[in-house]
Amino acid sequence: MLRFFAVFALVCGLLTPALAQEATVNPRAETGGAQTLDDIMRRQAQQKVDDTFRRSETGDPEAAAPITAPLGTRGGQSDPDLWRALRYDTADVTTQSRGPAATTLIQDGGMWWLKFREGPLLIYGAALLGGTLVLLALFYLIRGRIRIEGAKTGQTITRFSGVERFGHWLLASSFLILGVTGLISLFGRKVLIPAFGHDAFSTLAIGTKWVHNNVSWAFIVALVIIFVFWVVHNLPDRTDLNWLAKGGGIFGSSHPPAKKFNAGQKLIFWSVIVLGGSISASGISLLFPFDFNMFGPTFHALNEWGVPGWVGLDPLHYPLSPQEEMQYTQLWHAIVSLVLTAIIFAHIYIGSIGMEGAFDAMGSGDVEEQWAREHHSLWVEEVQEAELRHGRET
């Protein structure tokens, strides 16, 4: 009897690793291949779940019952198999449409985009714009309007030509229209529908979409105009370091020397060019969906270079479905637009109520000579030297 128990214990000991290995190989044996409690708990904790067991269960014609069997006419694919194939975009879908996204009937990866668009994007976007306006209001209350300190001379200097001002105002007006219509599209469902109802918002949304799409071309043209005219004057130089070190004279009584554009204006210029250019590129991608892809090629290149690994991240998702490409593009378009809008708020403030004499530069094109000497003394010297040379030549 003792020998029997010894042999039984030995056999159980040998079988235990095998059973454990079998459990590891097929952890869903007890659920018939379905998800386990661990899968559910990981999904609720927003953790990554290996769903290979579901992706592979999309029907196997080779395992189908014979035609003479009760379920033989259904082949090897059940309704759940079919829906899984549609969800994971592995179903054999045929359509008369030849668009790149025509055969994708269920886009499984779209929920993260919808949740982000309806949640963090709206919350942080509103906080960014609202916070910027609050900070500007506080700055005005504390600092007040930046006045011309010296005695006004009554003489003016031409600061911007008519073409330059045309490019600026074309850019400014188109950006304001795009900003308003874009905010209506972004926040309308949360803010306007509760206030005015679905029917009124539908009419408004259709109109703003048409305006947004068509005014965008004016913005792109204006962006090119100001780049051509002002890029030479906005290249960094050593005077910018001194201007930044002194805070542009905003908090003191003296203004650091500056050329035609000071360091602050150069930051605004390059923000408009870089961010505005990115907004334009993503906008064109949205206007012509599936034809101009930005993120798929970018993700592929970053993965090839190993960039995500530099910061301890997994490779970026690639390849992207046509819908995912548009979702990334829409978020990028909205985020960059919100950031640029906050920057433009500060630019509008300084160019209007924030600084005496600043609006004249874009209003009439001519500025008070004393204002120019205080804020752009090096530029005034350049203008006067050019006038002297011109006088000698004539």
Side-chain angles (χ1 to χ4, degrees):
M1 181 64 69
L2 293 174
R3 290 180 179 178
F4 173 77
F5 282 113
V7 172
F8 179 77
L10 178 62
V11 172
C12 290
L14 293 174
L15 288 177
T16 299
L19 292 173
Q21 183 178 4
E22 178 66 24
T24 302
V25 172
N26 186 14
R28 299 177 179 83
E30 295 182 357
T31 61
Q35 62 180 346
T36 63
L37 178 61
D38 181 63
D39 295 331
I40 298 173
M41 298 301 292
R42 289 176 63 84
R43 188 173 287 108
Q44 290 180 349
Q46 302 296 319
Q47 297 178 356
K48 187 175 181 180
V49 177
D50 182 8
D51 60 354
T52 306
F53 70 98
R54 304 178 73 181
R55 292 178 179 269
S56 60
E57 292 296 327
T58 56
D60 182 8
E62 299 298 329
I67 296 178
T68 56
L71 297 180
T73 55
R74 295 181 63 84
Q77 191 177 64
S78 65
D79 285 345
D81 293 337
L82 173 61
W83 284 111
R84 278 192 291 268
L86 292 173
R87 174 180 178 182
Y88 296 115
D89 202 22
T90 59
D92 184 16
V93 178
T94 59
T95 176
Q96 292 181 340
S97 175
R98 294 295 179 263
T103 58
T104 303
L105 303 184
I106 299 178
Q107 203 254 311
D108 182 58
M111 289 307 299
W112 74 268
W113 166 79
L114 183 62
K115 291 180 180 179
F116 185 86
R117 186 189 184 282
E118 294 182 346
L121 180 60
L122 298 186
I123 295 172
Y124 292 114
L128 173 64
L129 299 185
T132 301
L133 293 176
V134 170
L135 290 176
L136 290 174
L138 290 175
F139 181 80
Y140 180 78
L141 293 176
I142 296 172
R143 176 63 172 84
R145 195 179 195 193
I146 301 174
R147 300 286 183 178
I148 298 175
E149 297 172 357
K152 296 181 181 180
T153 64
Q155 303 294 321
T156 60
I157 298 178
T158 299
R159 181 153 172 78
F160 294 116
S161 66
V163 178
E164 290 176 296
R165 286 183 287 124
F166 169 78
H168 172 272
W169 286 117
L170 180 63
L171 185 72
S173 58
S174 60
F175 182 80
L176 290 176
I177 294 172
L178 292 172
V180 172
T181 54
L183 290 175
I184 291 174
S185 298
L186 187 62
F187 291 92
R189 291 181 178 273
K190 291 288 186 180
V191 178
L192 299 181
I193 288 180
F196 302 103
H198 288 81
D199 292 339
F201 176 72
S202 175
T203 303
L204 179 63
I206 293 172
T208 55
K209 180 178 180 296
W210 185 89
V211 172
H212 193 91
N213 291 347
N214 288 279
V215 172
S216 61
W217 301 110
F219 176 79
I220 295 174
V221 171
L223 202 63
V224 174
I225 293 175
I226 68 164
F227 178 81
V228 171
F229 276 92
W230 292 341
V231 63
V232 174
H233 301 289
N234 281 278
L235 298 176
D237 56 55
R238 288 178 295 179
T239 61
D240 298 330
L241 297 177
N242 180 50
W243 192 93
L244 292 172
K246 295 182 178 181
I250 293 178
F251 299 100
S253 57
S254 62
H255 301 284
K259 295 184 178 181
K260 184 168 185 176
F261 292 97
N262 58 43
Q265 292 169 322
K266 290 179 180 180
L267 289 174
I268 295 291
F269 174 83
W270 287 111
S271 296
V272 171
I273 294 299
V274 175
L275 299 183
S278 182
I279 292 170
S280 301
S282 58
I284 292 174
S285 180
L286 293 171
L287 283 172
F288 303 97
F290 316 128
D291 292 334
F292 175 51
N293 296 329
M294 296 176 54
F295 285 89
T298 302
F299 287 0
H300 177 65
L302 293 176
N303 289 339
E304 288 291 320
W305 298 336
V307 174
W310 299 350
V311 291
L313 298 177
D314 294 331
L316 299 172
H317 177 51
Y318 179 83
L320 299 178
S321 68
Q323 290 85 353
E324 287 175 319
E325 181 72 41
M326 291 296 98
Q327 287 158 3
Y328 278 111
T329 304
Q330 186 275 328
L331 293 182
W332 181 264
H333 189 77
I335 292 171
V336 177
S337 298
L338 289 169
V339 172
L340 183 57
T341 300
I343 295 173
I344 294 302
F345 280 171
H347 176 63
I348 294 174
Y349 166 78
I350 290 295
S352 56
I353 64 173
M355 178 181 292
E356 182 184 7
F359 183 80
D360 294 336
M362 280 301 166
S364 63
D366 299 328
V367 294
E368 161 64 40
E369 183 177 344
Q370 181 61 28
W371 178 91
R373 290 185 180 281
E374 292 180 5
H375 297 284
H376 300 275
S377 57
L378 299 178
W379 170 69
V380 173
E381 294 175 3
E382 292 176 356
V383 171
Q384 291 178 340
E385 290 177 0
E387 290 177 349
L388 289 175
R389 287 195 303 269
H390 179 72
R392 295 193 191 100
E393 293 174 356
T394 57

